[in-house]
Amino acid sequence: MPPEKRAAVPPERRAAVPPVTIADVARAAEVSTATVSHALNGTGRLGETTRRRVRELATALGYGAPRTAPTRTLGVAVTTFPGPWNYTEIAYFSRAVTAATAAAHAHGYALTTLPADRVADAAWHTLAVDGMLVIDSPPGDPMVRALRARGVPLVFDGAPGDARPGDHWVDNDHTATAREVLGHLRAAGARRIVLQAGSGGEHYARAIRAAYEEWCAEQGAPALVVDFDRDDAAGHAFDGLLDAGADAVYAVYDPGGHQLLAAARRHGLRVPDELLLVCASEDPAYERTDPPVTTVTLAPERSAREAVALLVALAEGTAAVPTGPVTVPAGLKVRASSRR
């Protein structure tokens, strides 16, 4: 039976939730238990800002009162980049969130989609969820640090930037996928392949760049890297390498294919006759570009369903959940942009 069809565990079978302790407040506030004690008792030499923050956090966590019952709510957020940006406008994240919502509902949970803006880190200390799905978490992720301190169950879509023993995540084999793409371009005649690399610190961007550089070293080919810029709609970042004779591009973020097509038009280069292109994207618009663009699908729907099933199992304590990665196969959809 698929995991999303499993019956929800009745409340009486779930483990009792212990009351919030002073140590819980200290972990969430990232201070010592002595600091918490001083803040709550009005003693010690604490700054007023620290004292107020600890008190407010203790209240929000329910210190001194029994913990509330499970909320039957899960959360999802993309924390790759700080600051406000609408990740639901990107096809991968939009499809992942939609699939995660359906899977959560099938398990009897609501799913709250949280904004990417991490400026107000205090919000993560009081978020009322039974578990959190975190997509593309980079190293030093403040939201993950706060939720770990509270003991909130976490499952990651994409290997976490600060993986710990016992973590759970769903991911693709990005090394194998990158090698498949590069081999495909090589077989089509490309010799100077540009990687439009990810500009974030998430595992996805780092893994593909490492695989590309290793492959280039094995092939005796130059490593030609352009950093992705989401505001570069005209693809000006490619200009220097196109002028220098680059004959293929592997773009690892969704808008990269459109950026390269725009750059090719400005340079008078025909795709695929003079320039080959592969883009990692779930956007169906690439089927209708001129020419249609070869894409890599990372199967966001399957990844989201697998991740929600893991998260529900952790939240309900239904069974032992294996740690480490659950690997979801990626796929190469070959179209005209990479065939000569």
Side-chain angles (χ1 to χ4, degrees):
M1 179 180 293
E4 61 268 22
K5 295 296 185 182
R6 294 175 190 159
V9 175
E12 62 271 14
R13 288 181 53 192
R14 296 182 200 151
V17 180
V20 177
T21 67
I22 194 170
D24 294 327
V25 177
R27 281 193 297 271
E30 300 181 65
V31 297
S32 67
T33 54
T35 297
V36 175
S37 178
H38 286 314
L40 298 180
N41 295 321
T43 58
R45 297 182 178 179
L46 300 182
E48 186 56 34
T49 300
T50 299
R51 192 182 303 276
R52 183 170 56 253
R53 182 173 70 88
V54 172
R55 285 177 171 175
E56 290 175 352
L57 185 55
T59 299
L61 292 176
Y63 176 69
R67 274 186 176 162
T68 58
T71 65
R72 302 297 296 177
T73 299
L74 306 176
V76 60
V78 181
T79 59
T80 317
F81 301 104
W85 63 288
N86 187 0
Y87 56 84
T88 60
E89 292 179 347
I90 304 299
Y92 177 90
F93 299 122
S94 175
R95 292 171 64 170
V97 168
T98 298
T101 301
H105 291 176
H107 284 283
Y109 284 79
L111 185 78
T112 299
T113 304
L114 300 161
D117 190 350
R118 301 193 313 242
V119 174
D121 290 346
W124 309 124
H125 294 293
T126 58
L127 186 65
V129 293
D130 296 336
M132 191 75 189
L133 171 57
V134 189
I135 302 179
D136 284 349
S137 175
D141 190 337
M143 188 193 77
V144 168
R145 186 173 66 246
L147 293 178
R148 286 192 195 278
R150 291 175 52 198
V152 174
L154 301 177
V155 172
F156 299 88
D157 181 340
D162 296 317
R164 295 183 181 181
D167 277 349
H168 308 266
W169 69 89
V170 179
D171 205 358
N172 314 101
D173 186 338
H174 299 301
T175 298
T177 302
R179 285 181 167 273
E180 181 183 5
V181 170
L182 296 168
H184 168 71
L185 292 171
R186 188 79 166 182
R191 293 297 178 267
R192 293 177 58 81
I193 303 172
V194 175
L195 176 72
Q196 188 190 35
S199 54
E202 78 280 17
H203 173 75
Y204 170 69
R206 291 182 285 117
I208 293 181
R209 184 164 186 156
Y212 168 78
E213 291 174 348
E214 183 179 79
W215 183 89
C216 288
E218 293 171 359
Q219 298 292 320
L224 309 171
V225 178
V226 169
D227 284 334
F228 170 72
D229 179 356
R230 61 184 174 184
D231 296 321
D232 183 21
H236 288 294
F238 294 107
D239 288 350
L241 290 172
L242 294 181
D243 287 337
D247 57 8
V249 171
Y250 175 24
V252 303
Y253 282 162
D254 190 278
H258 295 293
Q259 293 175 352
L260 189 278
L261 290 175
R265 286 192 294 269
R266 286 189 294 100
H267 285 260
L269 295 172
R270 293 171 297 163
V271 178
D273 298 334
E274 299 168 288
L275 184 64
L276 301 171
L277 169 62
V278 175
C279 180
S281 176
E282 312 300 330
D283 188 351
Y286 280 122
E287 300 174 16
R288 303 183 296 274
T289 52
D290 183 19
V293 171
T294 295
T295 56
V296 175
T297 174
L298 302 179
E301 289 88 356
R302 179 174 173 183
S303 294
R305 289 193 296 268
E306 296 275 4
V308 168
L310 286 173
L311 193 55
V312 170
L314 289 172
E316 296 184 346
T318 55
V321 182
T323 59
V326 173
T327 302
V328 171
L332 181 62
K333 296 183 177 181
V334 179
R335 300 189 181 102
S337 72
S338 65
R339 286 192 298 223
R340 285 177 176 154

